Amino acid sequence: MKLRILTLLFFFSMHYGMAQQNLNIIPKPESIEMHKGSFTLNKETVIQPNYNLVEAQYLQKSIKELTGLDLKIQSAVNKPNRIVLAHSEIKRKSSDGYELLISNKKFAAIYAKTPEGFFNGIQTFLQLLPLEKKDKISLPCLSIQDDSKFQWRGIHLDVSRHFFPKEFIKKYIDYLAMYKMNTFHWHLTDDQGWRIEIKKYPKLTQVGAWRNGSMIGHYTDQTFDDIRYGGFYTQEDIKEIVAYAKERHITIVPEIEMPGHALAALASYPEFSCTGGPFEVGKTWGVLEDVFCPKDETFMFLENILTEVMELFPSEYIHIGGDECPKVRWKSCPHCQKRIKDENLKDEHELQSYFIQRIEKFVNSKGRKIIGWDEILEGGLAPNAAVMSWRGTEGGIAAAKQKHFVVMSPGSHCYFDHYQGEPKNEPIAFGGYTNVEKVYSFNPIPKELSEEESKYILGAQANLWTEYINTPEHAEYMLFPRIAALSEVVWGTSNPNNYKEFEKRLISHFEIYDKKGINFSKAIFEVTSKVQPAENGVAFELKSANPIGIKYTTDGSEPNVNSISYEKPILVTKNQTIKAAYFENGKAKSATIEQSFFITKSTGKKIELVHQPHENYGIGGSFTLVDGMKGNPSKFGRDWLGFWGKDLNATIDLGKIETISKISINTLSSEGSWIYYPKSISVLVSKDGKNYISITIVSSKEIQEKKGKVVVNFDKQNVQFIKVIAENNGIITDGKPGAGSKSWLFTDEISVE
Ligand code: ACM
Ligand code: ZN
């Protein structure tokens, strides 16, 4: 009796163990059941399709690439050694569903109702294969039941800022397929280059696909080269890529930007602008003021373009852009003003809405739908338009409440042009800080929506803007491994509370990346840090993929294997620099992270904000302003708090009466990113937290002169409370990047001495 229980336990743990060790499938399937026994794949194994020859061929080709086994496809086999693709009417939530069975009766089977179901099952099957060439492969018996949660599982690529060759686009599509992503949003046009051949308007690519130089370094540096740069896809290229994607059950959603981000088109055909030009294809990134003029000839031009685009791309949705369209040209253009009058429009925002609605009517007349960035909500949403929410989730929430379909793509979690590791150790990026864990924590359904409204959330998408990405290797680096985290989010099986379990599976995928020659970020091995308030300073907590192995120094020297082993949060009570790295087998496995601390009377103290920072730039919350760490002005990542259209209004409680005579605060300007210095900074102090006296109001001019680093010296005061109010620049004025939109206010570290 006893023996029997032991044996059972042994089997149970063995199978359970196998599931844990070997099955590192991403996205995680809905359910996996391990069974006794194994199935051996060898050169005699036959692939037996039911109807799905295309999928069978894909499976055949993929097995050959991975293992070297060249299997035969045969439609009727009675021998046991086979992989069957069998049509099944199994009940599933969506057409993505499948069942994968590896049976001890010596066969494997994928059951599905649709071609995409088979394809998803094949992707799971391929992840079970070893990463080495072998002629005999033993697979554990199991049964997997699986289905997706979201129908829009998207990844975007901007090919305007930098052009990526056709062969890389195919690779990119394969990367999506591997993780069961099913939508490729191809950003084909923008100010810096028009990348799709349009037969009726050859100048779009003769002129619009080429620029006479590019920005080098970060936008903040404003330096350029003068190298002619460009490229485009012919219609033949596009047909080939669309067919390639179709075989992988990936829909390509093309984006033709309008009415803004149109400079490359206007350089080719200046007659469709307000001023008539001439124009040059954009060299600088950002938001440029020359946009399409909504006159009849322009609509004719755009409709002819869209007609060719719709002939090439069979997607249900056509992306028409709609974001970041300055209204300054429209304000002084007689055509635009006449249009506003004739159509009874209130202002230029309604003119933008008119523009989108007119294009929507045309696209609808061809049996398709439009999707646009969340600015298309402004001035009234076109009747059938879907919204891609990028400036946070608010646009998506508003659209879903109006019963419009939504794809969530907020900068906070879905912008893969943001940093994914310590900015100092990363290639130059747009800004922000969106690491794998942050992506994994995303929930495409905001809590503000009811169950009924949530049905309008089609899914989510990551965006890869390429201002700072000019090679395929760099694009891969930004995509991997964050794509894996997003794939599990949109497949619907992510569990942010168990991130560590995902991380383990993810690390096992690094071998796949190495095998496939994919350049990927190892930032998850990097030591990450968290700072918390502590007695007389802050506690600096360090983490890495493995908790033991972190070594650090506090004297500015490089850490090595003999440096201090990290055990618990490091108490920092004086100015010092901590450097840390993660070591394994005597070798550093990550780049060194470095953090300098500036400890003053405000460090680690209680701080309250009247307005909360925006979700994209507010990871650490109000404590960011008193954490002893100063944000790097050229890398406005996590050390900065960003307020969108709002003031900073902070009150620090020193905990007791202290004698002080100096207060400093940093603010940032990066106009291309719509970040503007505040209009003024007021400093007030109080003994009791009720009655405040004003110390000073720093003017806009002084803030500019001091390049945002404001230091206020004053006669000694005995106080407990300090209030700092930085007044947001407000609506951006005409002639400035982002004109008409709310300004960002970026602030950091309020030091009190
Ligand atoms: C966007 O990032 N401008 C949609
Ligand atoms: Zn105009």
Side-chain angles (χ1 to χ4, degrees):
M1 200 60 197
K2 228 176 187 155
L3 185 69
R4 211 176 121 79
I5 290 170
L6 266 178
T7 322
L8 270 176
L9 268 175
F10 172 71
F11 269 116
F12 182 75
S13 59
M14 186 177 84
H15 291 131
Y16 181 74
M18 194 134 68
Q20 297 302 300
Q21 274 166 35
N22 299 338
L23 301 187
N24 291 311
I25 301 161
I26 298 176
K28 191 187 180 101
E30 282 190 338
S31 92
I32 303 177
E33 227 178 89
M34 303 304 297
H35 301 302
K36 233 163 77 174
S38 63
F39 163 62
T40 305
L41 196 66
N42 56 25
K43 62 180 194 304
E44 266 79 51
T45 308
V46 168
I47 298 172
Q48 183 185 340
N50 207 313
Y51 309 102
N52 300 284
L53 190 59
V54 177
E55 282 68 41
Q57 283 166 341
Y58 178 87
L59 177 64
Q60 179 190 43
K61 190 167 65 76
S62 305
I63 290 177
K64 188 166 179 206
E65 269 168 23
L66 281 166
T67 68
L69 287 173
D70 194 2
L71 307 187
K72 283 202 178 60
I73 297 179
Q74 265 179 310
S75 49
V77 239
N78 292 316
K79 292 188 307 179
N81 186 0
R82 62 202 161 117
I83 307 169
V84 191
L85 304 185
H87 184 86
S88 152
E89 280 303 321
I90 42 169
K91 283 232 173 343
R92 292 288 177 220
K93 294 189 296 256
S94 82
S95 61
D96 283 316
Y98 69 91
E99 175 180 349
L100 169 62
L101 181 71
I102 298 178
S103 160
N104 54 10
K105 301 211 172 61
K106 296 195 170 55
F107 74 99
I110 297 169
Y111 300 104
K113 243 193 323 206
T114 62
E116 61 268 33
F118 285 109
F119 190 76
N120 291 325
I122 288 170
Q123 292 304 331
T124 299
F125 183 81
L126 294 175
Q127 287 194 19
L128 298 175
L129 299 179
L131 291 167
E132 63 210 304
K133 302 271 185 235
K134 263 186 164 176
D135 48 19
K136 254 198 195 144
I137 294 157
S138 174
L139 298 172
C141 291
L142 51 73
S143 114
I144 290 177
Q145 308 287 333
D146 203 8
D147 205 347
S148 68
K149 177 168 180 184
F150 292 105
Q151 71 185 77
W152 189 298
R153 305 187 297 278
I155 299 281
H156 146 292
L157 181 67
D158 164 16
V159 295
S160 172
R161 275 53 179 266
H162 285 104
F163 176 73
F164 295 85
K166 181 175 74 178
E167 289 315 315
F168 180 68
I169 301 298
K170 288 186 181 172
K171 262 196 189 175
Y172 202 78
I173 287 167
D174 281 330
Y175 298 155
L176 269 64
M178 160 183 175
Y179 284 124
K180 303 188 177 80
M181 303 298 276
N182 66 356
T183 307
F184 171 44
H185 171 172
W186 203 359
H187 185 81
L188 286 161
T189 75
D190 213 302
D191 299 309
Q192 295 79 10
W194 183 281
R195 306 276 176 235
I196 170 173
E197 177 190 27
I198 300 294
K199 302 270 192 205
K200 203 172 169 87
Y201 302 109
K203 282 192 286 183
L204 281 172
T205 42
Q206 287 162 1
V207 176
W210 307 93
R211 62 176 182 250
N212 288 322
S214 308
M215 212 169 212
I216 44 176
H218 199 267
Y219 184 90
T220 37
D221 305 334
Q222 288 292 315
T223 48
F224 299 86
D225 65 27
D226 55 5
I227 303 165
R228 187 169 155 83
Y229 180 92
F232 65 94
Y233 308 98
T234 63
Q235 294 205 350
E236 286 312 304
D237 291 338
I238 292 194
K239 283 179 198 157
E240 193 181 320
I241 290 168
V242 168
Y244 191 85
K246 183 162 181 269
E247 269 176 34
R248 285 149 186 81
H249 300 284
I250 287 173
T251 301
I252 305 185
V253 175
E255 180 179 352
I256 305 295
E257 268 269 17
M258 62 189 78
H261 287 292
L263 192 58
L266 296 179
S268 319
Y269 296 93
E271 59 270 38
F272 304 122
S273 70
C274 291
T275 64
F279 306 106
E280 239 194 280
V281 178
K283 288 158 97 175
T284 177
W285 323 133
V287 177
L288 310 179
E289 286 176 349
D290 287 293
V291 302
F292 285 122
C293 175
K295 46 194 169 192
D296 289 338
E297 304 88 288
T298 308
F299 285 108
M300 187 56 78
F301 171 69
L302 290 171
E303 287 171 10
N304 287 334
I305 290 171
L306 288 170
T307 299
E308 289 192 34
V309 167
M310 286 186 276
E311 276 162 14
L312 292 166
F313 294 95
S315 56
E316 177 185 6
Y317 284 100
I318 302 294
H319 203 302
I320 49 73
D323 61 320
E324 302 181 318
C325 179
K327 311 293 187 289
V328 41
R329 294 287 181 264
W330 292 359
K331 280 190 179 150
S332 56
C333 166
H335 291 287
C336 292
Q337 291 308 313
K338 182 165 184 316
R339 178 76 77 191
I340 288 177
K341 203 155 153 262
D342 291 352
E343 298 291 334
N344 268 325
L345 305 172
K346 203 169 82 208
D347 56 13
E348 290 74 22
H349 292 285
E350 288 199 357
L351 183 58
Q352 153 129 353
S353 176
Y354 167 86
F355 196 116
I356 303 293
Q357 296 203 21
R358 187 156 161 178
I359 291 293
E360 180 185 59
K361 257 196 214 114
F362 177 76
V363 171
N364 287 170
S365 77
K366 304 279 173 189
R368 311 291 186 90
K369 298 178 187 159
I370 64 162
I371 183 164
W373 301 109
D374 57 53
E375 284 94 332
I376 66 169
L377 279 151
E378 292 165 12
L381 204 47
N384 306 307
V387 169
M388 196 168 263
S389 192
W390 72 281
R391 297 175 301 174
T393 51
E394 297 89 339
I397 294 167
K401 285 187 185 287
Q402 295 174 38
K403 301 194 186 331
H404 284 257
F405 287 110
V406 170
V407 175
M408 284 296 187
S409 193
S412 53
H413 297 76
C414 297
Y415 266 45
F416 286 5
D417 59 338
H418 286 190
Y419 288 103
Q420 57 188 317
E422 188 63 40
K424 183 174 138 293
N425 300 330
E426 291 292 310
I428 196 156
F430 176 80
Y433 183 69
T434 304
N435 64 6
V436 176
E437 188 167 2
K438 183 92 199 247
V439 176
Y440 195 67
S441 72
F442 186 52
N443 183 354
I445 299 191
K447 56 184 184 317
E448 290 86 346
L449 294 184
S450 69
E451 203 177 318
E452 192 50 40
E453 290 161 346
S454 303
K455 292 186 185 140
Y456 290 95
I457 307 293
L458 294 175
Q461 174 176 301
N463 295 333
L464 193 52
W465 300 102
T466 58
E467 284 93 337
Y468 301 103
I469 301 169
N470 59 9
T471 64
E473 294 71 31
H474 190 175
E476 286 178 357
Y477 182 88
M478 302 308 272
L479 187 64
F480 287 93
R482 289 185 284 195
I483 183 176
L486 186 71
S487 81
E488 200 151 298
V489 167
V490 287
W491 190 255
T493 47
S494 62
N495 177 5
N497 296 326
N498 202 2
Y499 169 73
K500 281 283 160 198
E501 184 274 330
F502 168 75
E503 195 179 64
K504 271 201 199 109
R505 277 182 287 128
L506 181 62
I507 290 169
S508 82
H509 278 225
F510 288 4
E511 270 178 72
I512 305 178
Y513 305 162
D514 278 332
K515 202 84 193 167
K516 290 186 185 239
I518 297 170
N519 185 33
F520 65 100
S521 165
K522 298 178 186 70
I524 65 167
F525 291 121
E526 192 172 72
V527 175
T528 58
S529 58
K530 207 161 93 188
V531 186
Q532 267 159 358
E535 190 73 27
N536 299 322
V538 293
F540 192 46
E541 186 184 347
L542 302 176
K543 264 200 318 199
S544 79
N546 186 345
I548 43 174
I550 300 175
K551 305 280 182 180
Y552 72 95
T553 65
T554 58
D555 60 1
S557 64
E558 278 304 300
N560 60 42
V561 269
N562 300 319
S563 303
I564 315 168
S565 289
Y566 177 81
E567 281 168 5
K568 61 174 197 295
I570 307 160
L571 186 65
V572 184
T573 56
K574 59 175 200 281
N575 292 356
Q576 64 183 189
T577 297
I578 294 175
K579 292 188 179 182
Y582 166 60
F583 287 80
E584 216 175 73
N585 304 322
K587 277 212 227 67
K589 191 135 185 211
S590 72
T592 302
I593 64 153
E594 173 178 339
Q595 185 62 58
S596 294
F597 287 93
F598 304 90
I599 306 296
T600 69
K601 290 184 170 124
S602 59
T603 315
K605 297 289 156 47
K606 216 167 101 193
I607 174 164
E608 277 179 5
L609 297 176
V610 173
H611 311 290
Q612 293 313 305
H614 190 272
E615 61 184 318
N616 286 11
Y617 302 100
I619 294 174
S622 60
F623 177 59
T624 304
L625 299 176
V626 289
D627 60 7
M629 309 191 296
K630 291 186 182 166
N632 176 346
S634 69
K635 300 198 164 173
F636 38 95
R638 60 184 168 163
D639 295 337
W640 292 89
L641 281 194
F643 296 86
W644 195 35
K646 294 181 193 160
D647 298 341
L648 164 78
N649 187 328
T651 305
I652 299 169
D653 178 355
L654 298 177
K656 61 175 192 293
I657 299 280
E658 297 255 19
T659 307
I660 65 168
S661 59
K662 183 176 168 188
I663 292 172
S664 42
I665 174 168
N666 290 339
T667 67
L668 196 71
S669 157
S670 180
E671 297 191 351
S673 306
W674 307 6
I675 304 172
Y676 287 84
Y677 287 136
K679 275 190 193 153
S680 68
I681 296 176
S682 311
V683 176
L684 302 94
V685 294
S686 166
K687 279 192 165 62
D688 57 6
K690 290 189 194 102
N691 304 302
Y692 280 88
I693 55 164
S694 170
I695 295 285
T696 185
I697 301 177
V698 186
S699 70
S700 162
K701 189 160 162 274
E702 281 174 87
I703 299 168
Q704 315 253 355
E705 280 166 9
K706 292 178 175 161
K707 296 204 157 39
K709 288 184 186 207
V710 173
V711 179
V712 179
N713 288 295
F714 48 93
D715 291 340
K716 279 187 186 156
Q717 296 271 350
N718 294 322
V719 297
Q720 183 175 342
F721 298 91
I722 293 138
K723 204 187 270 296
V724 177
I725 302 169
E727 189 190 356
N728 191 294
N729 177 59
I731 299 296
I732 301 168
T733 50
D734 288 351
K736 294 276 194 185
S741 168
K742 294 188 270 189
S743 301
W744 284 93
L745 167 66
F746 269 57
T747 60
D748 187 36
E749 213 56 19
I750 306 176
S751 308
V752 176
E753 290 163 77

